[in-house]
């Protein structure tokens, strides 16, 4: 079975600081994608960043970057220069074939 | 607005009633997904369409759940004989042709079964 684990139910960070959200996963697939999605309060989910498993280089999108450790099956998200608008639930997700598996989420609060 | 839309946004129903939700994907997206999200959890994949073909439905929660996409455009999710455990947010997403990633999510339909 494919699983995604996020061990930090809640985190907080001061505005302008850096925070790292953890994600581990388990899959027997060789070709898969990993994602971080953001779900702000009462708003719809949006894609933050994605990583193809066959790429060794870590993905980066502006203030968001990942640390992808394929052997360890780890996929953490680093948010630099945190902003108040980053306050949201963050979900790590695994895609293989037509299947998607989401983790339970980490609630991030950015404090002024 | 060219995003994914879902209707209704909220639905309150009594146990035992049938409910139907609608999802309108982004127009050029041929792939459409349904998820269920319960409070404090991540989305749980239910089913997937490519155009009008339902390519994955083994994850539908029971035979009370069914989904259609008759013309390859909008989709409906029906729950028959609702139970209190069906109370959740039902999310729809669509993705660009040729890929399963880069899903664009709708705002969801929140179902409350009393």
């Amino acid at each position: 079975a494919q699983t995604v684990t996020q061990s930090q139910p809640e985190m907080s960070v001061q505005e302008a600081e850096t925070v790292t959200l953890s994600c581990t996963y388990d899959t027997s697939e060789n070709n898969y994608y990993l994602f971080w999605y953001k779900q702000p309060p009462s708003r719809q989910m949006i894609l933050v960043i994605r990583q193809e498993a066959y790429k060794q280089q870590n993905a980066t999108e502006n203030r968001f970057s990942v640390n992808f450790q394929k052997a360890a099956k780890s996929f953490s998200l680093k948010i630099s220069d945190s902003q108040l608008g980053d306050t949201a639930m963050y979900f790590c997700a695994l895609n293989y074939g037509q299947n998607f598996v989401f983790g339970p989420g980490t609630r991030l609060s950015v404090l002024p | 607005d060219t995003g994914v839309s879902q209707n209704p946004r909220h639905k309150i129903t009594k146990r035992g009633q049938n409910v139907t939700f609608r999802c309108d994907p982004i127009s050029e997206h041929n792939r459409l997904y349904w998820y269920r999200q319960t409070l404090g959890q991540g989305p749980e994949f239910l089913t997937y369409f490519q155009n009008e073909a339902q390519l994955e439905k083994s994850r539908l929660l029971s035979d009370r759940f069914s989904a259609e996409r008759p013309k390859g455009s909008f989709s409906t999710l029906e729950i028959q004989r609702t139970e209190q455990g069906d109370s959740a947010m039902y999310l729809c997403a669509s993705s660009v042709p040729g890929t399963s990633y880069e899903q664009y999510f709708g705002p969801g339909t929140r179902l409350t079964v009393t």
Side-chain angles (χ1 to χ4, degrees), chain B residues 15-32:
Chain B
R15 189 175 52 189
Q17 297 294 306
N18 299 343
V19 293
T20 300
F21 310 139
R22 175 174 171 136
C23 171
D24 288 87
I26 294 171
S27 58
E28 63 268 26
H29 289 186
N30 66 340
R31 299 188 180 197
L32 186 148

Side-chain angles (χ1 to χ4, degrees), chain A residues 14-81:
Chain A
Q14 292 293 136
E15 196 175 6
E17 297 294 307
T18 295
V19 64
T20 298
L21 309 183
S22 301
C23 172
T24 57
Y25 61 94
D26 190 21
T27 181
S28 55
E29 302 288 329
N30 198 39
N31 296 318
Y32 54 91
Y33 297 87
L34 294 161
F35 307 86
W36 280 97
Y37 280 88
K38 168 185 176 181
Q39 189 174 39
S42 301
R43 294 181 60 188
Q44 55 210 77
M45 195 158 340
I46 57 175
L47 178 66
V48 174
I49 197 167
R50 79 165 189 267
Q51 174 82 40
E52 292 87 343
Y54 62 85
K55 288 188 177 179
Q56 292 187 328
Q57 185 173 6
N58 289 324
T60 300
E61 284 288 341
N62 300 313
R63 298 183 295 108
F64 299 88
S65 61
V66 298
N67 184 4
F68 174 46
Q69 301 290 325
K70 189 173 183 179
K73 296 182 178 176
S74 170
F75 184 62
S76 60
L77 174 70
K78 184 171 81 171
I79 307 174
S80 304
D81 185 25

Side-chain angles (χ1 to χ4, degrees), chain A residues 2 33 35 37 39 42-47 50 52 89 91 95-105 107, chain B residues 4 9 31 33 35 37 40-45 48 50 55-56 59 91 100-108:
Chain A
Q2 330 290 331
Y33 297 87
F35 307 86
Y37 280 88
Q39 189 174 39
S42 301
R43 294 181 60 188
Q44 55 210 77
M45 195 158 340
I46 57 175
L47 178 66
R50 79 165 189 267
E52 292 87 343
M89 284 290 290
F91 295 99
N95 165 229
Y96 58 98
Q98 310 307 337
N99 296 290
F100 272 80
V101 180
F102 282 77
R107 184 177 303 280
Chain B
V4 178
R9 294 291 306 277
R31 299 188 180 197
Y33 309 80
Y35 294 85
Q37 186 177 23
Q41 298 297 316
E44 179 183 11
F45 173 69
Y48 153 69
Q50 181 166 308
L55 299 185
E56 174 59 65
R59 306 295 182 90
L91 299 172
S100 292
Y101 46 84
E102 299 230 41
Q103 292 188 15
Y104 293 79
F105 281 82

Side-chain angles (χ1 to χ4, degrees), chain B residues 10-113:
Chain B
H10 303 273
K11 178 71 176 178
I12 300 174
T13 192
K14 292 186 177 180
R15 189 175 52 189
Q17 297 294 306
N18 299 343
V19 293
T20 300
F21 310 139
R22 175 174 171 136
C23 171
D24 288 87
I26 294 171
S27 58
E28 63 268 26
H29 289 186
N30 66 340
R31 299 188 180 197
L32 186 148
Y33 309 80
W34 283 100
Y35 294 85
R36 182 179 77 162
Q37 186 177 23
T38 53
L39 200 61
Q41 298 297 316
E44 179 183 11
F45 173 69
L46 296 179
T47 190
Y48 153 69
F49 291 87
Q50 181 166 308
N51 299 312
E52 65 275 12
Q54 191 173 11
L55 299 185
E56 174 59 65
K57 57 181 178 181
S58 63
R59 306 295 182 90
L60 285 168
L61 300 165
S62 78
D63 58 7
R64 298 184 297 107
F65 287 71
S66 62
E68 292 183 344
R69 196 183 183 197
K71 296 182 180 179
S73 56
F74 73 91
S75 175
T76 57
L77 177 69
E78 181 182 17
I79 308 174
Q80 296 182 327
R81 306 181 303 280
T82 52
E83 303 172 356
Q84 286 189 320
D86 297 332
S87 295
M89 178 76 83
Y90 290 85
L91 299 172
C92 174
S94 67
S95 66
V96 297
T99 72
S100 292
Y101 46 84
E102 299 230 41
Q103 292 188 15
Y104 293 79
F105 281 82
T109 294
R110 181 167 296 284
L111 173 66
T112 302
V113 181

